[in-house]
Structures are given as C-alpha cells and as structure tokens.
Amino acid sequence: MPVVASYVYRDGQRVREAPLTAEGLALAGDEFVWVGLVDPTDAEIDVLVQRFKLHPLAVEDALAAHQMPKVEVYGRELFVVARTALKIDDRIAYGETHVFVGDDHVVSIRHGSARSHNLLRAQLEASPLQLKKGPDLSLIHI
C-alpha cells in the first residue's frame, strides 16, 4: 500500500489519522499533517495536489524516480529531493525521498527506498516541543 502513514498534529501531539480525502486532510488553523507515501498512485498525488496546491514542476519530479538531489522553493513551499542509502546484508540499497514542506503539511514520497521514516516519526513524537514548532522546523531531519 502506497500510503504508509498520514497523521494530523496539533501542539506537538498526534491527534488523528488523516485519510487522503478532502475531509481527512481538513485542518484547523493550528494543525499540520504529515503524509508519508511509497511509490504513490496518480490518484493519491491528485488528492494532495488539490488540497495543498503543490507546484506542478515539483509534482512532476516527485512522480518520477531517478531525480538528482536538490532543493527548490516554490512560493511558501520547499521541495527537496534526497538520495538514500541503506545497508542490507552485504549490499547497499539506494533510493530517493522527495519531500514537500508547506505551512500546514509535510508530504514525503519514497521511491525505491527501503528506509522507513517510522523511527524519525517516533523520535519527533517523543519530543513534542520540537514537533510543536510545525512542519518547517520540526521535520527537517527527514
């Protein structure tokens, strides 16, 4: 399943799951959502594009693996492409993580990456003071 995790946060705490629907992604003024996907479908991306007005050039890059690492700024949104590496037995598995960071959202998309963000999410949730700072400051460790 492409959606790995999708949660809403308020005051540094996870408050609920956030299904990829208009209702599920509806937020109060002091909330943000972190949606984590692996090899998402076009339909899942379309929901996020509509809800968060993701920039078309960044979306095009996020849908296609094999991007060069980069950081782009589109208005009030940051788009990052990072290469990942994970040692599995005697080999290294490479992948990519694409991240959109806006005022009320973080969308992380993995392509070919076996490395989950579960540990990062757990570390941030264990530190509500850091998570309380919002998506642009608390999730820069992705």
Side-chain angles (χ1 to χ4, degrees):
M1 172 170 258
V3 178
V4 202
S6 183
Y7 299 108
V8 172
Y9 295 88
R10 182 185 326 117
D11 294 326
Q13 302 290 325
R14 181 194 298 186
V15 292
R16 65 177 173 85
E17 286 192 45
L20 292 190
T21 63
E23 299 80 25
L25 295 173
L27 302 170
D30 59 346
E31 295 177 333
F32 73 92
V33 63
W34 179 4
V35 179
L37 305 127
V38 176
D39 299 319
T41 66
D42 289 344
E44 290 164 334
I45 290 294
D46 287 345
V47 169
L48 297 171
V49 166
Q50 293 301 314
R51 170 59 182 88
F52 299 115
K53 309 295 185 235
L54 304 178
H55 194 279
L57 292 176
V59 170
E60 184 179 323
D61 284 351
L63 288 173
H66 310 295
Q67 298 293 316
M68 294 298 294
K70 63 181 170 181
V71 175
E72 300 278 352
V73 177
Y74 296 102
R76 295 186 51 84
E77 181 146 88
L78 183 68
F79 176 66
V80 179
V81 176
R83 300 288 303 201
T84 61
L86 179 66
K87 186 175 179 191
I88 301 173
D89 298 323
D90 290 337
R91 67 178 191 87
I92 298 176
Y94 295 97
E96 294 175 30
T97 297
H98 302 205
V99 183
F100 295 87
V101 181
D103 293 329
D104 62 353
H105 62 278
V106 173
V107 176
S108 55
I109 299 172
R110 292 186 286 145
H111 292 286
S113 176
R115 185 175 180 169
S116 158
H117 295 140
N118 290 340
L119 179 58
L120 171 61
R121 192 180 294 268
Q123 289 171 336
L124 287 168
E125 288 178 355
S127 177
L129 290 177
Q130 181 71 22
L131 197 58
K132 188 175 184 173
K133 295 177 183 178
D136 54 343
L137 294 175
S138 62
L139 298 175
I140 58 174
H141 298 77
I142 291 177

